[in-house]
């Protein structure tokens, strides 16, 4: 089997009420590509956006590319591979403004142009970039003032945990 | 460099609060069909004198029978579709999100419309080069939300701009039949919550969105024949509904629900894929 091509897509907007997320998932299933929903954040107020991030992979890159092209119509675009932004922890155990709670799937972060694996531990987590340059997922309660956290979603790639796949 | 538009544009200042609904129209002085960018367009088919008569009849129905105040954006030679002001922008309160047309034939309209709104006291929002959005042709307010179309002309990503700039939530609806290329040719939300729509223009997701948001008692579906006569492309001003002639069944149904219906012959504009709603833009 050829190595699977992995692409992470994201869609934002009123994707629940518009049934756009349902349409995207139905479309992925119709193409018989593998997928995993990495993250869904539901807007709380009526004018809040919801966001979903989904990993897609398939051994047939032509099939995957055709799917990706169709999903663009629904506003589901590949996540842009920008570098991360960071924010500094001001108080032990307290997530600073713009800090970001992560779920606990395997992840990599793009830091200074390099994708770094993120070591995993516990729940209620956030990513810290250590002075050594390593990325670590730690519990918010373990944060120390001065820690450098990854802010937001840019430059964060969530890797799927199910299915058969290989990375180039 | 001075704007080449300045001498053409009226300086009318912010809209006066007259207590009347305000509508933006543009006369068909240069209306023609010189290109075909939707399935209805027949090049070289327009009788311009007849188009002017029909446009005047619509103008009179809106001002004299429905009681709205019409503002005019002057026609511009070489921009035949400027007459379809519905596409110029999406307007909410003092914000006008200016259209960015998918087809290059209509893109020269954008600066004229942007300048009109700016000169009339609106905060204008323009879109990036790679994001297409065709104004109130693809975004219609219904109560506290917006029904917005995408795929044929408008990109779904542009719907986020509507929410960001106006605070209104948007229900994104894929338009699956290319004949109904804007959402304003397949739905018409009415002021009291009634909702005219052509079910054939949507997929199962779009129909479920309509069912989830519009009470059954307020839904007014139209037939394929009525939709092809642009019955959904209607102007609603309070309890008056104005649409192209030839949809008597719909007129009777709306009358039974308490509306006054005016049917106007707009056959010249149908040759370009537009009707009464396309010829108007509610701006206040």
């Amino acid at each position: 089997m050829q190595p699977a091509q992995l692409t992470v897509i994201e869609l934002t907007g009123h994707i629940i009420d518009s049934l756009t997320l349902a349409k995207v998932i139905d479309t992925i299933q119709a193409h018989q590509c593998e997928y995993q929903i990495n993250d869904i954040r539901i807007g709380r107020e009526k004018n809040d956006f919801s966001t979903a991030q989904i990993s897609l992979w398939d051994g047939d890159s032509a099939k995957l590319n055709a799917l990706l092209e169709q999903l663009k119509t629904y506003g589901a675009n590949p996540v842009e591979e920008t570098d991360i932004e960071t924010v500094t922890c001001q108080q032990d155990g307290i997530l600073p403004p713009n800090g970001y709670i992560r779920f606990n799937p395997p992840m990599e972060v793009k830091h200074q142009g390099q994708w770094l694996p993120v070591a995993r531990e516990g729940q209620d987590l956030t990513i810290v970039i250590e002075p050594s340059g390593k990325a670590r997922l730690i519990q918010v309660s373990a944060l120390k003032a001065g820690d450098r956290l990854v802010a937001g979603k840019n430059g964060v790639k969530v890797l799927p945990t199910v299915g058969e796949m290989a990375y180039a | 460099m001075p704007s080449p538009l300045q001498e053409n544009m009226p300086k009318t200042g912010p809209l006066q609060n007259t207590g009347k609904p305000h509508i933006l129209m543009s006369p068909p002085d240069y209306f023609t069909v010189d290109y075909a960018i939707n399935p209805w367009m027949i090049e070289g088919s327009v009788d311009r004198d007849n188009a002017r008569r029909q446009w005047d009849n619509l103008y009179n129905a809106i001002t004299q029978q429905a009681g709205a105040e019409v503002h005019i954006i002057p026609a511009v030679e070489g921009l035949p579709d400027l007459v379809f002001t519905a596409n110029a922008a999406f307007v909410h309160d003092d914000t006008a999100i200016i259209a960015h047309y998918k087809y290059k034939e209509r893109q020269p309209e954008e600066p004229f419309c942007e300048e009109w709104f700016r000169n009339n006291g609106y905060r204008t929002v323009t879109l990036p080069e790679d994001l297409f959005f065709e104004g109130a042709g693809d975004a219609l307010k219904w109560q506290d939300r917006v029904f917005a179309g995408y795929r044929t002309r408008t990109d779904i990503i542009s719907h986020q701009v509507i929410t960001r700039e106006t605070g209104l939530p948007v229900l994104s609806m894929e338009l699956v039949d290319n004949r109904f290329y804007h959402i304003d040719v397949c739905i018409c939300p009415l002021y009291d919550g009634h909702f005219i729509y052509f079910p054939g223009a949507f997929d199962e997701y779009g129909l479920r969105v309509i069912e989830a948001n519009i009470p059954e008692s307020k839904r007014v579906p139209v037939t394929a024949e009525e939709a092809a006569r642009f019955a959904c492309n209607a102007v609603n001003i309070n309890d008056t509904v104005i649409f192209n002639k030839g949809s008597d069944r719909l007129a009777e149904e709306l009358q039974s629900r308490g509306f006054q219906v005016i049917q106007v012959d707009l056959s010249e504009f149908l040759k370009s894929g537009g009707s009464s709603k396309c010829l108007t833009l509610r701006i206040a």
Side-chain angles (χ1 to χ4, degrees), chain A residues 1-33:
Chain A
M1 183 177 175
Q2 291 183 348
Q5 177 190 348
L6 171 74
T7 302
V8 180
I9 60 166
E10 187 171 284
L11 66 161
T12 296
H14 289 91
I15 59 175
I16 308 296
D17 291 344
S18 300
L19 298 179
T20 314
L21 178 59
K23 181 178 285 194
V24 163
I25 291 171
D26 289 351
T27 303
I28 294 168
Q29 290 177 342
H31 278 72
Q32 298 182 318
C33 287

Side-chain angles (χ1 to χ4, degrees), chain A residues 11-14 17-20 22-24 26-27 46-49 72-77, chain B residues 144 150-151 156-157 159-161 163-164 167-172 174 203-205 208-209 213:
Chain A
L11 66 161
T12 296
H14 289 91
D17 291 344
S18 300
L19 298 179
T20 314
K23 181 178 285 194
V24 163
D26 289 351
T27 303
K46 67 180 182 182
N47 55 355
D48 285 344
F49 292 142
K72 284 179 186 173
T73 302
Y74 309 138
N77 289 305
Chain B
D144 62 350
Y150 70 90
R151 190 172 74 80
I156 191 173
I157 299 287
H159 297 173
Q160 296 174 34
V161 178
T163 299
R164 220 174 278 132
L168 295 169
V170 175
L171 296 164
S172 301
E174 183 177 3
D203 59 15
E204 60 175 306
Y205 303 92
R208 277 157 56 196
V209 169
N213 284 273

Side-chain angles (χ1 to χ4, degrees), chain B residues 222-234:
Chain B
V222 303
T223 65
E225 292 73 24
E226 289 166 338
R229 285 193 290 273
F230 284 71
C232 296
N233 196 242

Side-chain angles (χ1 to χ4, degrees), chain B residues 240-254:
Chain B
T240 300
V241 181
I242 306 169
F243 51 74
N244 179 49
K245 74 167 189 179
S247 293
D248 292 342
R249 184 211 64 85
L250 176 63
E252 285 172 18
E253 177 163 356
L254 291 172

Side-chain angles (χ1 to χ4, degrees), chain B residues 131-151:
Chain B
L131 191 58
F132 299 117
F133 170 68
E134 301 209 348
D138 262 334
L140 295 172
K141 283 184 275 190
W142 183 85
Q143 299 188 345
D144 62 350
R145 67 209 77 166
V146 176
F147 283 84
Y150 70 90
R151 190 172 74 80

Side-chain angles (χ1 to χ4, degrees), chain B residues 15-261:
Chain B
L15 297 180
Q16 300 294 310
N17 182 6
T18 59
K20 293 180 175 179
H22 293 257
I23 304 280
L24 182 65
M25 296 179 70
S26 183
D29 300 355
Y30 302 105
F31 176 58
T32 180
V33 183
D34 283 345
Y35 48 79
I37 57 173
N38 70 54
W40 306 93
M41 294 179 102
I42 306 166
E43 290 174 59
S45 57
V46 169
D47 177 337
R48 193 177 287 158
D49 291 339
N50 197 34
R52 179 69 202 213
R53 280 191 292 275
Q54 293 180 351
W55 187 91
D56 286 345
N57 290 339
L58 177 64
Y59 177 96
N60 290 335
I62 290 170
T63 54
Q64 294 168 21
Q65 291 175 266
E69 185 167 333
V70 170
H71 301 253
I72 297 294
I73 181 168
V76 177
E77 190 169 5
L79 299 180
D81 286 344
L82 190 62
V83 71
F84 297 120
T85 51
N87 308 130
F90 175 80
V91 180
H92 179 67
D93 295 337
D94 65 346
T95 297
I97 303 173
I98 306 299
H100 178 37
Y101 290 101
K102 181 171 183 176
Y103 286 101
K104 63 179 176 16
E105 289 87 346
R106 293 201 67 180
Q107 290 174 356
E109 298 176 33
E110 296 166 16
F112 287 88
C113 296
E114 201 267 340
E115 190 157 352
W116 189 91
F117 281 101
R118 220 171 346 100
N119 284 342
N120 284 276
Y122 289 85
R123 179 179 73 92
T124 59
V125 177
T126 54
L127 293 159
E129 190 58 36
D130 59 351
L131 191 58
F132 299 117
F133 170 68
E134 301 209 348
D138 262 334
L140 295 172
K141 283 184 275 190
W142 183 85
Q143 299 188 345
D144 62 350
R145 67 209 77 166
V146 176
F147 283 84
Y150 70 90
R151 190 172 74 80
T152 43
R153 296 293 189 87
T154 288
D155 294 328
I156 191 173
I157 299 287
S158 72
H159 297 173
Q160 296 174 34
V161 178
I162 298 174
T163 299
R164 220 174 278 132
E165 298 295 337
T166 68
L168 295 169
V170 175
L171 296 164
S172 301
M173 314 269 285
E174 183 177 3
L175 305 178
V176 299
D177 182 336
N178 285 340
R179 293 176 306 153
F180 302 97
Y181 56 96
H182 281 143
I183 201 165
D184 72 351
V185 295
C186 41
I187 72 168
C188 180
L190 303 180
Y191 84 113
D192 69 341
H194 276 92
F195 191 89
I196 304 171
Y197 70 110
F198 173 50
F202 302 100
D203 59 15
E204 60 175 306
Y205 303 92
L207 294 175
R208 277 157 56 196
V209 169
I210 291 171
E211 288 165 10
N213 284 273
I214 313 291
E216 189 172 4
S217 62
K218 295 288 189 184
R219 291 179 223 148
V220 185
V222 303
T223 65
E225 292 73 24
E226 289 166 338
R229 285 193 290 273
F230 284 71
C232 296
N233 196 242
V235 180
N236 175 221
I237 299 165
N238 299 324
D239 64 353
T240 300
V241 181
I242 306 169
F243 51 74
N244 179 49
K245 74 167 189 179
S247 293
D248 292 342
R249 184 211 64 85
L250 176 63
E252 285 172 18
E253 177 163 356
L254 291 172
Q255 283 162 350
S256 74
R257 292 170 184 251
F259 290 93
Q260 175 192 341
V261 176

